[in-house]
Every structure is written in structure tokens, then in C-alpha cells.
């Protein structure tokens, strides 16, 4: 290995190293895709051709091929990651070196990058000891930079050499051990970044096996790439719907049998009727998710589905792992899987279209419908309290950290979005100080559990609130104006509402930008061609200067 | 309310968009024509029977020409009796919106990066033929 010199570090083309990293990572992704395809098309070979020596030989060869191809993926990705890190490290060191050399030159020293020496002209030697100390300080700093460059060079070279295939055995045909349920459950306690790092160490064969054997666990695991979560969750959805259809049919048949042959057995008839209705009700909930996905076609990704209770579901319009701009929207009061999935996904399509129309690149916008919490019900007072948002906030935070962790290389603009009570879930995540977003944008918010936008984002110019003039929910800060005239209980109700969520974020004293809304009421913020939707699209696309505002001071636009 | 098939309504929107592209002197690219239910002022849905068409397009145009082009269109649209509902210049980006006497709504806005104008045309609500 050659010695790293100042000249080499000055001249190194870090962009070229970055391009090589991209090449290796593209190849890794290509191997991953090819392996997934290979596994899918060859998985059933042993079932359709089970007997005989030829079948056994074909199965063995197929298994070996799957393993060999899968084993090529992790080393390829590790080399790409190592080169990416090396390019970034050298770019930083190069910048420090150039800055230091410029500073030394500015102070009258001469820096010879070929020999690595620093000299001073004779006129500076009026105080030789000080000059010598300065020269020594510069040389030491140059040497420290060179040492870091050499360390990066050595570790990158090592990463390449240990990950190259063996000259005789290649990457080997032995499959790695399958992923166990315990291993997957252990991942649930780790950060999405750690989960992502672990997932990337798996071979495509292991990933495919984990998805196939434990789709419920993989489907909700933040840090797993969107395309893999989508595969897992669609498997959950299909399997569960088929099972529920079978259950409903079985109960219907049993019921018909009872009605014909044992009509006086009312207890059993009632039991079968309830069981049939329960299965059908579950099926209806999941059918709503299926319908929403069908409407999206190839743009739809199912990032979470759980039919228990009111249901939890996460659907992306456009892939957040590759999008330049991603918004993740939390719905509010009374939202259920059965009642609102199709309509809320349509809202995400509307906002997606508004932003996508402004941008030229294909697939650079993703809008995600996130019902990963139990939204307050319409039939009790849960909407007035913070309990549901305190439960939802950590899940939302984890999901957003996952979006950051799984995003492919390149810049990413991430926006937290929430409507109504959903804005309080966003607030709970933001108030931790760890929500990794560039903007927060809410509509019809009753309050965000703080009295200042600066508590949500370090730069409050990146907090945006929209409110229709006659939205009764975002006017809750002033609700006492209306309730004070209600005898006896009026002031109590008003105070309970106001104290529940704090000041509404569109109020000027909150310190956020209030974007213009021209729609009416609490649920019309997504009317096509409304200024409300256009402004949401502009903010999501980072074109803040184009958003029309009632008050506030928008930050500089996101550079395309 | 006028009754029209979705295909006929899309053709009307397409013709409106082509007219605007002609005024700009460019060609329509990335067309996306979709139908959606109309909603009333209180959000009530017209169901599948009442719908509108949204047409989205892009028209390639050098960034330096956006503002002047929007100003020219504004004058032409006004002369044609259209009502201008938004008319702004933000940096080098142009934003122009209008409603037409036959109740179409039209949006024009510079893309990012600004190598084209994004055009959106919304039809009025139509009833589906029986």
C-alpha cells in the first residue's frame, strides 16, 4: 500500500470514489432484486417436481444457486458502503486540508504539498521561536489529517479484500441460517437505524425467508426497507382475508344447516350468527385497505396492517425510500380502518399530485397515510385529552426514524404532517426533540401541547399550520368564547378543551407560519385545486416561497 | 348540470389544455387525466354520478421565459373574459390561476427545477349519462 501524501489528498477525486460506491451499491441492489425473483420462481420446484433422482438433483442445484447468488449480496453492499464512507471521509479531510493550506498561505507561509513542508520567508523570522511554533502546529495538523486519510484508506482496502469472492469457491453455496422469531423480536427493541443495519447484513434468501415465515413482525419493523415491508404486509393482508372468508363461509354454512335442521336451537343459531358477523366485520375492514391499495396500483406500498381493534394501517403513495420529498400524515378524531382508509388515501393522492406537478423527476414525491395509533373515538371524550397522542407519539417517532434510516443515498426532505388530533401525535413526537424532519405541517389542529413553534422545531420557520376560518376544531383555543354562554357547564367545557391541547398553532403568537386555506370546515382541506392543497404541495416540495401565507416568515426554499 | 361521458369530458379538458399550450407555444407533456367525485360546499359527495376531470400537464419552457409568458397569458385570459384568481412572481417562478366563463379552473406554475410550466385544468362538475 502506497503512503498517502498531501499531494494525493489534494488531488484525489472524491466524486470518482463516490461513483464507484454507487456502482457497487447498484450492483448489490441488482443482485438483491434478481435473487428475490429467483427465489420466487424456484421456490415451488420441490412441490411440483418432488420425486426421483432428477428432481432431487434439480432441487439441490436450485438451492445451491439461490444460496450462491444470495451470498454475493452482503459483500457487494459492504464494499459499496465502505467506498461511500471513504469518499465522504476523504471529502471532509480534503476540505480541512485546503482550508488549512489557504489559512497558512494567507498568513505568509509557503506550503509544499509535494514534500509536506511548511516554510516561512525570512521577513517573518523577527520572532523565530513563534514562527517555528506556528510551522510546527501546521505540520502537526497536516500529519493528523494524513493519518486519518491513511486510516480510511487502509480500512477501505481491507473491506474490499475481505469481501472479494474466494478464487475457488466463489461466495459459497451454503445458505446462511434462517432468521428466527426470537431474532426478529429482538430487533423490535432496537433503533430503526440499527434494524436497518442488521437487515442489510442478511442475504436476500434470509430476508425472503423472514418475510415468508414472520410477515406480521417484518411488516411493522421500522428500519426494514419499504419494498420488503410492502411484500410482508401484502402477504399478511391476503392470508388474513382468505382466512376470514373461510371463517365467514364456514359459519354461514353451519348457520344454514341449523336453520334447516335444528331451527329451535336459538342459542347455537345466535352464536353462529355472531361469529359470522364478527368474521365479516373483520373482513370488511381489511377489504377497505385492499380497495385503497387497488386504487393506487404500482404507486401503493403497504407499510403496516393490523385489523385488531379499530385497526392500524400505513399506506404510502410513492416509495419513501427513493422519494426526494416525503410527507407522513397522521389522521385525527374518529379515524378507523373500516371507515376512512380509502378517503384518507385519496387525500394523500391529492397532496402527492399537487407536489408532484411542481417537480420534474418521476417518483420524487411520497405521501404516507399513517394510522399507526388508536385515534380518538367520536363517542367519548378521548379527543379532549392527551392520552391517545402520548401513545401514538413514540410509534410515529420510530416510524419517521425508520424512513430516514431506509432512505437510499441522496438528499431527502421529510415532512411530518397531521390533521386535527393527528397534529397532537406529531407534536408529541416533535416535543422529544428527536423527530428527524425538515418541516412540520398541520391542518385543523386543536393545539400541539406547547405554546410555541420553537418547541417543535429548532427553526420555527419550518412549522406550518393551516386553518379554515370556520373550522370548529382549530378554533378550540377560543372555544370559551362560544361556551361561556352555556349555563353552568359551559366554562368548564371550554377550559377543558383549551387546556387539553394548548393554543392552536395557526395563531400568530404560536410563532409558526399560517398558510392560506380557502376551504371550509374541518374536513375539506384537500379539495382539488384549492389554495389549501396547492400550499400543502408547495411546502411538501420545499417551495416555501410560493406558499401563500396569512402570517409568518418562510425559510429559504429547498434547493432542487 | 351538463351530462357528459368521462371520455367526452376528458376530451374537453384536453382541448382546453391544448389551447393554453398553443398560447404558450409549447407542447403538452406528462399528461395525467383523472376523474373524481364532485363534493358540495359541506363536503357531501355527489357519488359516482357527479364528477369532474383533472388534467395535469407540463410544458417545457426555458426558465427565463416563465414570467413574461405568464404576463402574456394573463392579458390574453383577461381579454377572453377569464377571472384571474392568482397572479404572482416568486423569484424567477411564475404562478397564474384563473376561472373561465364556462366554469373551468386553470393553474399554471413553474416547475422545480424551472425548465417547464406545470398546467392543471379542472372541469366543472358533470353528471354521468344514464
Amino acid at each position: 500500500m502506497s503512503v498517502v501524501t498531501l499531494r494525493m489528498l489534494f488531488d484525489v477525486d472524491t466524486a470518482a470514489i463516490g461513483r464507484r460506491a454507487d456502482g457497487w451499491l447498484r450492483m448489490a441492489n441488482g443482485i438483491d432484486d434478481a435473487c428475490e425473483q429467483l427465489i420466487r420462481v424456484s421456490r415451488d420446484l420441490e412441490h411440483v417436481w418432488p420425486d426421483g433422482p432428477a428432481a432431487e438433483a434439480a432441487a439441490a442445484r436450485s438451492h445451491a444457486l439461490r444460496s450462491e447468488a444470495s451470498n454475493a449480496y452482503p459483500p457487494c453492499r459492504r464494499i459499496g458502503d465502505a467506498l461511500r464512507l471513504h469518499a465522504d471521509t476523504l471529502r471532509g479531510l480534503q476540505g480541512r486540508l485546503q482550508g488549512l493550506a489557504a489559512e497558512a498561505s494567507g498568513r505568509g507561509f509557503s506550503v509544499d504539498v509535494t514534500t509536506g513542508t511548511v516554510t516561512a520567508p525570512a521577513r517573518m523570522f523577527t520572532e523565530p521561536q513563534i514562527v517555528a511554533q506556528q510551522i510546527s502546529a501546521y505540520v502537526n495538523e497536516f500529519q493528523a489529517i494524513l493519518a486519518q486519510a491513511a486510516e480510511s484508506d487502509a480500512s477501505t482496502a481491507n473491506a474490499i479484500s475481505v469481501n472479494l469472492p474466494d478464487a475457488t469457491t466463489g461466495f459459497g453455496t451454503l445458505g446462511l441460517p434462517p432468521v428466527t422469531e426470537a431474532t426478529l423480536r429482538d430487533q423490535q427493541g432496537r433503533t430503526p437505524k440499527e434494524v436497518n443495519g442488521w437487515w442489510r447484513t442478511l442475504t436476500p434468501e434470509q430476508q425472503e425467508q423472514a418475510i415468508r415465515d414472520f410477515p406480521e413482525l417484518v411488516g411493522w419493523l421500522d428500519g426494514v426497507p419499504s419494498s420488503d415491508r410492502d411484500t410482508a404486509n401484502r402477504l399478511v393482508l391476503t392470508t388474513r382475508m382468505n382466512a376470514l372468508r373461510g371463517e365467514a363461509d364456514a359459519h354461514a354454512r353451519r348457520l344454514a344447516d341449523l336453520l334447516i335442521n335444528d331451527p329451535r336451537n336459538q342459542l347455537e343459531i345466535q352464536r353462529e350468527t355472531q361469529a359470522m358477523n364478527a368474521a365479516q366485520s373483520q373482513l370488511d375492514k381489511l377489504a377497505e385497505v385492499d380497495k385503497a391499495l387497488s386504487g393506487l396500483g404500482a404507486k401503493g406500498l403497504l407499510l403496516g396492517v393490523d385489523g385488531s381493534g379499530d385497526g392500524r394501517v400505513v399506506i404510502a403513495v410513492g416509495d419513501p425510500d427513493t422519494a426526494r420529498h416525503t410527507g407522513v400524515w397522521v389522521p385525527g378524531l374518529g379515524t378507523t380502518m373500516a371507515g376512512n382508509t380509502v378517503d384518507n388515501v385519496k387525500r394523500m393522492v391529492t397532496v402527492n399530485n399537487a407536489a408532484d406537478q411542481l417537480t420534474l423527476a418521476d417518483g420524487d414525491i411520497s405521501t404516507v397515510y399513517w394510522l399507526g395509533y388508536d385515534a380518538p373515538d367520536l363517542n367519548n371524550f378521548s379527543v379532549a385529552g392527551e392520552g391517545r397522542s402520548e401513545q401514538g407519539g413514540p410509534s410515529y417517532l420510530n416510524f419517521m426514524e425508520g424512513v430516514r434510516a431506509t432512505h437510499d443515498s441522496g438528499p431527502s426532505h421529510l415532512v411530518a404532517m397531521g390533521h386535527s388530533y393527528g397534529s397532537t401525535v406529531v407534536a408529541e413526537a416533535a416535543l422529544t426533540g428527536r423527530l428527524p424532519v425538515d418541516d412540520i405541517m398541520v391542518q385543523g389542529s386543536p393545539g400541539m401541547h406547547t405554546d410555541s413553534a420553537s418547541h417543535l422545531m429548532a427553526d420555527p420557520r419550518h412549522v406550518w399550520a393551516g386553518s379554515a376560518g370556520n373550522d370548529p376544531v382549530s378554533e378550540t383555543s377560543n372555544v370559551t368564547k362560544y361556551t361561556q354562554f352555556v349555563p353552568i357547564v359551559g366554562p368548564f367545557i371550554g377550559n377543558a378543551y383549551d387546556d387539553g391541547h394548548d393554543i392552536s398553532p395557526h395563531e400568530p403568537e404560536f410563532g409558526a407560519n399560517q398558510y392560506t386555506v380557502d376551504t371550509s370546515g374541518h374536513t375539506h382541506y384537500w379539495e382539488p385545486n384549492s389554495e389549501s392543497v396547492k400550499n400543502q404541495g408547495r411546502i411538501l416540495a420545499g417551495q416555501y416561497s410560493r406558499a401563500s401565507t396569512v402570517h409568518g416568515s418562510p425559510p429559504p426554499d429547498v434547493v432542487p | 348540470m351538463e351530462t357528459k361521458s368521462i371520455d367526452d369530458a376528458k376530451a374537453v379538458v384536453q382541448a382546453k389544455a391544448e389551447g393554453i399550450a398553443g398560447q404558450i407555444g409549447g407542447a403538452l407533456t406528462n399528461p395525467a387525466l383523472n376523474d373524481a367525485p364532485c363534493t358540495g360546499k359541506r363536503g357531501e359527495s355527489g357519488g359516482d354520478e357527479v364528477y369532474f376531470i383533472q388534467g395535469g400537464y407540463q410544458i417545457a419552457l426555458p426558465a427565463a421565459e416563465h414570467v413574461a409568458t405568464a404576463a402574456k397569458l394573463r392579458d390574453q385570459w383577461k381579454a377572453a373574459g377569464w377571472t384571474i384568481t392568482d397572479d404572482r412572481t416568486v423569484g424567477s417562478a411564475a404562478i397564474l390561476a384563473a376561472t373561465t366563463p364556462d366554469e373551468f379552473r386553470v393553474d399554471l406554475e413553474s416547475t422545480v427545477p424551472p425548465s417547464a410550466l406545470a398546467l392543471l385544468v379542472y372541469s366543472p362538475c358533470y353528471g354521468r349519462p344514464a
Side-chain angles (χ1 to χ4, degrees):
Chain A
M1 186 174 55
S2 60
V3 176
V4 179
T5 65
L6 284 182
R7 168 56 65 196
M8 286 166 70
L9 188 53
F10 251 106
D11 294 343
V12 68
D13 183 355
T14 57
I17 300 173
R19 285 194 295 276
R20 282 170 178 77
D22 289 343
W24 279 92
L25 293 172
R26 268 198 309 277
M27 184 159 67
N29 287 336
I31 292 171
D32 191 20
D33 292 344
C35 283
E36 284 174 13
Q37 202 176 352
L38 175 65
I39 291 165
R40 283 193 195 113
V41 298
S42 62
R43 185 189 296 152
D44 295 329
L45 182 66
E46 293 163 53
H47 303 295
V48 296
W49 190 21
D51 301 320
E56 284 172 18
R61 182 69 194 110
S62 171
H63 191 266
L65 182 61
R66 285 201 298 263
S67 296
E68 188 173 13
S70 286
N71 291 347
Y73 165 78
C76 197
R77 176 164 284 283
R78 283 195 287 268
I79 290 174
D81 286 342
L83 283 168
R84 166 60 54 203
L85 180 63
H86 190 45
D88 292 344
T89 303
L90 289 189
R91 189 180 306 113
L93 292 173
Q94 197 176 47
R96 275 175 58 194
L97 180 61
Q98 288 164 346
L100 205 58
E103 180 194 301
S105 298
R107 294 173 69 180
F109 295 101
S110 296
V111 179
D112 187 333
V113 293
T114 305
T115 59
T117 55
V118 179
T119 54
R123 61 180 164 74
M124 291 178 71
F125 278 89
T126 51
E127 292 178 285
Q129 205 168 358
I130 292 173
V131 171
Q133 283 173 352
Q134 288 173 330
I135 289 174
S136 176
Y138 278 123
V139 169
N140 286 342
E141 285 203 56
F142 285 139
Q143 284 176 347
I145 290 170
L146 282 180
Q148 288 178 53
E151 190 181 326
S152 178
D153 190 56
S155 66
T156 307
N158 183 56
I160 293 170
S161 65
V162 300
N163 282 296
L164 290 176
D166 184 89
T168 52
T169 60
F171 291 108
T173 55
L174 283 178
L176 294 175
V179 177
T180 63
E181 181 176 350
T183 304
L184 270 167
R185 290 203 182 279
D186 284 347
Q187 302 306 317
Q188 291 174 324
R190 304 177 76 196
T191 66
K193 193 174 178 184
E194 289 170 335
V195 170
N196 185 251
W198 165 76
W199 186 258
R200 285 160 55 127
T201 64
L202 302 179
T203 65
E205 198 170 29
Q206 288 174 304
Q207 292 174 355
E208 193 74 13
Q209 170 264 322
I211 290 169
R212 189 179 63 245
D213 292 349
F214 311 106
E216 291 92 348
L217 294 177
V218 175
W220 280 103
L221 196 53
D222 296 327
V224 171
S226 297
S227 59
D228 291 330
R229 287 180 73 157
D230 178 58
T231 305
N233 285 308
R234 284 180 193 261
L235 188 57
V236 170
L237 183 66
T238 307
T239 307
R240 188 74 187 122
M241 286 183 76
N242 287 340
L244 286 167
R245 278 192 200 101
E247 274 181 44
D249 288 349
H251 290 300
R253 280 196 300 275
R254 173 86 180 120
L255 186 59
D257 186 50
L258 283 167
L259 290 170
I260 294 166
N261 299 315
D262 193 8
R264 292 188 177 177
N265 190 348
Q266 286 301 311
L267 185 64
E268 196 61 20
I269 288 172
Q270 190 180 3
R271 190 177 294 156
E272 286 298 330
T273 304
Q274 284 174 347
M276 182 184 69
N277 290 342
Q280 189 59 49
S281 168
Q282 284 287 316
L283 188 58
D284 290 345
K285 265 195 277 187
L286 296 177
E288 179 86 354
V289 174
D290 194 43
K291 187 177 172 189
L293 283 170
S294 298
L296 294 175
K299 281 194 103 175
L301 291 136
L302 184 58
L303 303 183
V305 63
D306 173 7
S308 60
D310 284 339
R312 294 184 302 147
V313 59
V314 184
I315 294 176
V317 183
D319 188 348
D321 289 357
T322 54
R324 173 72 177 86
H325 307 276
T326 296
V328 182
W329 182 77
V330 188
L333 171 66
T335 306
T336 62
M337 180 189 278
N340 310 92
T341 303
V342 168
D343 286 344
N344 280 337
V345 167
K346 278 182 185 165
R347 290 172 172 176
M348 291 303 92
V349 171
T350 302
V351 177
N352 194 301
N353 286 342
D356 198 30
Q357 199 64 32
L358 296 178
T359 59
L360 285 179
D362 194 29
D364 55 354
I365 304 290
S366 173
T367 41
V368 182
Y369 171 54
W370 189 88
L371 180 60
Y373 82 118
D374 188 9
D377 307 309
L378 289 164
N379 57 358
N380 59 39
F381 286 107
S382 53
V383 70
E386 298 182 5
R388 299 291 175 91
S389 47
E390 285 172 353
Q391 290 165 13
S395 299
Y396 184 70
L397 173 61
N398 211 58
F399 181 83
M400 298 302 264
E401 288 176 339
V403 173
R404 280 285 191 220
T406 56
H407 194 270
D408 292 350
S409 60
S412 157
H413 174 232
L414 183 57
V415 183
M417 310 193 299
H419 171 235
S420 185
Y421 197 91
S423 67
T424 69
V425 174
V426 171
E428 283 299 322
L431 288 169
T432 64
R434 295 188 290 116
L435 187 64
V437 299
D438 303 293
D439 288 282
I440 291 174
M441 174 170 63
V442 298
Q443 314 82 30
S445 171
M448 297 185 77
H449 300 176
T450 176
D451 59 2
S452 173
S454 60
H455 295 156
L456 300 173
M457 295 284 289
D459 183 350
R461 295 178 304 169
H462 286 279
V463 181
W464 305 81
S467 178
N470 58 352
D471 182 338
V473 173
S474 45
E475 288 298 315
T476 51
S477 295
N478 300 318
V479 76
T480 46
K481 281 194 304 200
Y482 306 106
T483 59
Q484 63 180 317
F485 301 111
V486 178
I488 304 174
V489 295
F492 171 76
I493 295 171
N495 286 335
Y497 238 98
D498 280 359
D499 292 346
H501 302 298
D502 232 311
I503 183 176
S504 289
H506 68 279
E507 302 284 359
E509 55 267 43
F510 189 77
N513 300 310
Q514 183 184 1
Y515 66 85
T516 304
V517 168
D518 57 344
T519 55
S520 175
H522 186 57
T523 57
H524 301 171
Y525 290 101
W526 303 273
E527 280 181 16
N529 195 37
S530 63
E531 189 67 6
S532 171
V533 159
K534 283 189 245 178
N535 281 335
Q536 290 176 60
R538 289 162 180 154
I539 294 163
L540 177 57
Q543 296 307 298
Y544 313 122
S545 61
R546 300 186 191 187
S548 52
T549 54
V550 179
H551 61 76
S553 46
D557 291 347
V558 172
V559 178
Chain B
M1 183 191 311
E2 192 176 350
T3 300
K4 207 181 275 292
S5 72
I6 287 181
D7 284 347
D8 288 347
K10 284 183 177 177
V12 175
V13 167
Q14 180 73 19
K16 190 76 80 179
E18 283 171 1
I20 294 167
Q23 288 177 309
I24 294 170
L28 297 172
T29 59
N30 299 335
L33 285 144
N34 297 299
D35 62 287
C38 282
T39 52
K41 285 185 179 174
R42 293 176 184 166
E44 68 277 18
S45 172
D48 290 339
E49 303 309 310
V50 184
Y51 70 95
F52 71 97
I53 301 291
Q54 173 186 315
Y57 310 86
Q58 288 174 344
I59 302 165
L61 192 72
E65 297 177 28
H66 287 197
V67 173
T69 300
K72 182 184 79 175
L73 284 175
R74 179 195 59 219
D75 294 343
Q76 290 177 344
W77 290 358
K78 271 186 178 174
W82 295 16
T83 303
I84 305 299
T85 54
D86 197 357
D87 179 15
R88 287 184 288 148
T89 301
V90 182
S92 60
I95 299 173
L96 186 65
T99 56
T100 71
D102 50 355
E103 297 182 353
F104 280 76
R105 292 170 296 165
V106 175
D107 275 342
L108 201 66
E109 187 163 339
S110 300
T111 61
V112 184
S115 55
L117 288 170
L119 171 65
L120 285 166
V121 179
Y122 297 85
S123 77
C125 293
Y126 296 117
R128 280 183 204 269

